Amino acid sequence: MALRLERGNVLRLAVAQALAGINATVIFATGAVVGHMLAPSPALATLPISIFVVGMALCTLPAGAIAQRHGRRAAFLLGTGCGVLAGLLASLAVIYAAFWLFCVATFFGGVYAAVVLTFRFAATDCAAPERRPRALSAVMAGGVFAGVLGPQLVTHTMNLSPPFLFAATYVGQALAAAVSAFILIGVKLPAPTAADRAGGRPLGVIVRQPRFILAVICGVVSYLLMNFLMTAAPLAMRLCGLSQESANLGLQWHVIAMYGPSFWTGRFITRFGAPRVVAAGLALTGAAAGVGLLGIEVWHFWVTLILLGIGWNFGFVGASAMVLECHRPEEKARVQSFNDFAVFGTMAIGSFLSGGLLSAFGWNTILALSFVPLTIAVVALTAGRGIRAPAR
């Protein structure tokens, strides 16, 4: 029965991940373009995406607190409600040409995305320790379908409500969030206990563990660079004279590359260990930036986005598996939400910088700067080779 429950939860969470991933995919595919149309200054074109990331960062800790006190399902339903609201507000913002309203919509989209990120950890709640990396990566694999559904939704709906570009797209985004809510109702997870509410050891003790610090650094850099480059790429393609359809297709393959390897990432972690998988992810991210520096043809952008997606998967899933080694069961909600807060709080900085840097210095500067945090992560991973997982 326990294995059956585990598989049922993983399946539902994977399907919800696929539907919820449409939210982020649509915002990343259209946010900079709509921002460019509505913003009072070109330098603010990527501000809506940056606010999306801020919403993720600000709501990771509250989402963890809600899950710790009321259970994960309560957090799930609150998040999907924000997803519905995000799509409806974004559609209204396009119709009324209201840049500030579009920024509010992307903030609620970020709140939804913050809750969606807890799906991967929720899948491990009913799993035996040896199956947790596979359960985590199996839920992440649901994002493959988001990589197909999101860009196709943009392509087939962006011109359905002329002259309001993307207005119908955002309505479709809201409907996908509503369907995801119904699926999440069936997820069966343990109710919070008194020990869970107490929270275990002080958070300061947990986060000072060398293994946890290494996991956070690797997670931060993996997500920071993915967001930094992906935020700028669709607008960079348009500025280079490439079509919106090319940008949509490139983003589609990027999201597929982000989540596709999850079918095997859990096995790789079990066999080779999380640090080696993270190292492979960082190497692929560096290769992505290198390909982007070679030119501005369509294939340069596409290959960059595909390598970037695979690199993110290995780096982020591997870092998440390392986080699971650093806390006790009653500490999971606080520790996992603190990890995500660190990741997305840092990532917000990259999002804010990408639009201004792209407008002022161009795509090649964005690519060159990505090697700075990449070097920091490689040095940390090399220095931490002797750090073992804490004793359970």
Side-chain angles (χ1 to χ4, degrees):
M1 289 297 294
L3 184 59
R4 192 186 208 174
L5 177 64
E6 176 189 331
R7 289 175 175 171
N9 284 341
V10 168
L11 178 60
R12 285 180 177 275
L13 288 166
V15 174
Q17 178 82 43
L19 292 170
I22 293 174
N23 168 66
T25 306
V26 167
I27 288 176
F28 279 111
T30 65
V33 177
V34 174
H36 191 68
M37 292 189 303
L38 302 181
S41 167
L44 298 176
T46 60
L47 180 62
I49 296 179
S50 300
I51 291 177
F52 171 84
V53 179
V54 169
M56 292 175 70
L58 291 181
C59 294
T60 49
L61 294 179
I66 292 170
Q68 184 175 352
R69 181 163 293 274
H70 302 289
R72 289 198 189 269
R73 189 161 59 178
F76 292 167
L77 296 180
L78 180 62
T80 51
C82 289
V84 173
L85 187 60
L88 297 179
L89 290 179
S91 183
L92 290 174
V94 170
I95 292 171
Y96 291 103
F99 181 67
W100 67 270
L101 184 59
F102 187 66
C103 291
V104 171
T106 59
F107 178 84
F108 280 110
V111 176
Y112 183 28
V115 174
V116 171
L117 284 165
T118 66
F119 291 179
R120 72 192 195 280
F121 288 129
T124 68
D125 285 356
C126 293
E130 65 275 8
R131 291 198 301 273
R132 285 174 186 164
R134 293 191 183 187
L136 188 151
S137 63
V139 171
M140 296 290 288
V144 172
F145 300 97
V148 176
L149 296 173
Q152 290 303 314
L153 176 66
V154 174
T155 298
H156 294 293
T157 62
M158 60 190 235
N159 295 314
L160 283 183
S161 51
F164 307 114
L165 185 67
F166 301 127
T169 301
Y170 296 127
V171 174
Q173 173 189 341
L175 290 174
V179 174
S180 178
F182 284 104
I183 293 171
L184 289 168
I185 291 173
V187 175
K188 296 180 176 62
L189 296 171
T193 64
D196 292 332
R197 294 189 179 98
R201 294 171 293 170
L203 187 60
V205 173
I206 302 169
V207 301
R208 286 198 296 268
Q209 297 174 100
R211 183 76 164 187
F212 183 78
I213 294 171
L214 179 60
V216 170
I217 290 173
C218 293
V220 163
V221 171
S222 297
Y223 225 125
L224 170 68
L225 292 181
M226 187 279 294
N227 179 260
F228 188 58
L229 297 178
M230 185 178 69
T231 298
L235 183 55
M237 292 180 74
R238 286 179 69 91
L239 294 177
C240 291
L242 304 176
S243 67
Q244 179 66 41
E245 288 75 15
S246 296
N248 291 345
L249 190 58
L251 193 65
Q252 172 179 311
W253 284 106
H254 168 71
V255 177
I256 292 173
M258 284 174 64
Y259 295 102
S262 295
F263 291 107
W264 305 280
T265 309
R267 292 182 172 85
F268 292 159
I269 292 171
T270 301
R271 182 172 180 181
F272 301 109
R276 290 183 180 179
V277 173
V278 171
L282 295 175
L284 287 167
T285 301
V291 171
L293 288 168
L294 295 177
I296 55 172
E297 300 295 329
V298 170
W299 74 267
H300 290 107
F301 284 98
W302 285 358
V303 173
T304 293
L305 289 170
I306 290 171
L307 290 176
L308 185 66
I310 300 173
W312 171 85
N313 182 278
F314 286 177
F316 186 63
V317 176
S320 298
M322 292 167 67
V323 170
L324 292 175
E325 301 169 351
C326 299
H327 61 72
R328 300 169 184 169
E330 66 271 18
E331 300 162 350
K332 62 178 183 267
R334 287 189 308 133
V335 175
Q336 292 164 6
S337 60
F338 179 84
N339 170 74
D340 287 348
F341 173 75
V343 170
F344 300 112
T346 308
M347 194 174 79
I349 299 173
S351 292
F352 277 114
L353 290 175
S354 62
L357 289 172
L358 181 64
S359 299
F361 302 105
W363 174 238
N364 282 351
T365 299
I366 298 283
L367 294 166
L369 286 175
S370 65
F371 287 100
V372 176
L374 188 64
T375 302
I376 294 172
V378 170
V379 170
L381 198 60
T382 303
R385 283 185 299 178
I387 299 175
R388 297 185 178 275
R392 305 297 292 177

